[in-house]
Amino acid sequence: GRKGGHKGRARQYTSPEEIDAQLQAEKQKAREEEEQEEGGEGATGDPKKEKKSLDSDESDEDDEDYQQKRKGVEGLIDIENPNRVIQTTKKVTQLDLDGPKELSRREREEIEKQKAKERYMKMHLAGKTEQAKADLARLAIIRKQREEAARKKAEERKAKDEAAMAGKRLQSLSLNK
């Protein structure tokens, strides 16, 4: 069989730390050259180098570039993708809590749904919806039926009471004789 070629064997990629170290070395060389061109005196340039190397401002700037851990070859290739959303972290002092909040489509639809339901309930309680009108008509019919049933019961009671009273009168009359 045929074995693999020589192309994939000895690839070595530099790590982001090594790249950072190289960039810092290049920046320091550039600073030294600028200082030599400007000052010309070696004695005045040495304390400046020590101050700059002690400052942590430059290392903070470099750290910002590599805050996100890059995967694979991302660290080696700079790609400008206009569709890529870069997440930026905000400090607490930068947050705007008073401003209008952007709602998602689902949240907007949910709020609209709740408002529509509240409007419908207000209309329903006022008796302006078709369902409320049908309910009120049904209630009116039921009330009339209950009133009639109550009236009939009352009449039947009166009739029973009168019959009972008439029966007692007859008994009392018959006993008196």
Side-chain angles (χ1 to χ4, degrees):
R2 191 171 183 212
K3 294 191 177 182
H6 65 283
K7 290 190 175 182
R9 288 186 190 164
R11 285 192 182 156
Q12 294 178 347
Y13 297 105
T14 53
S15 65
E17 292 83 18
E18 291 176 2
I19 294 173
D20 286 340
Q22 289 174 358
L23 290 175
Q24 287 179 354
E26 289 176 7
K27 286 181 183 178
Q28 194 163 358
K29 284 182 185 178
R31 273 191 233 116
E32 289 175 2
E33 289 176 3
E34 288 177 10
E35 289 174 3
Q36 288 176 0
E37 290 175 4
E38 290 175 4
E41 296 177 13
T44 58
D46 291 336
K48 289 182 183 178
K49 289 179 193 174
E50 292 173 5
K51 288 180 184 176
K52 287 187 180 181
S53 64
L54 293 176
D55 287 343
S56 62
D57 294 342
E58 295 173 26
S59 63
D60 289 344
E61 292 173 7
D62 293 336
D63 290 343
E64 289 174 6
D65 295 337
Y66 292 100
Q67 276 183 353
Q68 296 176 350
K69 187 173 183 182
R70 298 191 177 194
K71 300 175 186 173
V73 195
E74 276 186 25
L76 302 175
I77 304 171
D78 289 333
I79 299 173
E80 292 295 326
N81 186 353
N83 297 327
R84 183 172 176 229
V85 178
I86 300 171
Q87 295 180 352
T88 58
T89 55
K90 291 186 177 182
K91 295 182 181 176
V92 176
T93 56
Q94 293 175 344
L95 291 177
D96 186 23
L97 298 175
D98 298 334
K101 184 181 174 187
E102 292 289 326
L103 298 176
S104 68
R105 179 184 55 85
R106 287 183 180 172
E107 291 171 337
R108 281 194 308 264
E109 288 175 357
E110 187 68 28
I111 290 171
E112 288 173 8
K113 196 176 188 182
Q114 288 175 353
K115 286 182 180 179
K117 193 172 185 179
E118 288 174 9
R119 271 186 265 129
Y120 180 80
M121 290 304 291
K122 285 181 183 178
M123 297 282 284
H124 187 75
L125 291 174
K128 295 181 181 179
T129 62
E130 292 178 19
Q131 187 178 3
K133 290 176 184 176
D135 290 344
L136 291 174
R138 210 176 307 120
L139 284 174
I141 292 170
I142 291 171
R143 282 184 188 150
K144 285 180 184 177
Q145 290 175 350
R146 288 182 181 167
E147 287 174 5
E148 290 174 9
R151 197 177 315 124
K152 286 181 182 178
K153 275 189 177 179
E155 288 176 6
E156 289 176 5
R157 272 195 207 133
K158 284 183 183 178
K160 282 185 180 179
D161 288 342
E162 288 176 7
M165 292 295 265
K168 286 183 182 178
R169 284 184 197 160
L170 287 175
Q171 284 180 354
S172 64
L173 288 177
S174 64
L175 290 176
N176 286 339
K177 286 185 183 180

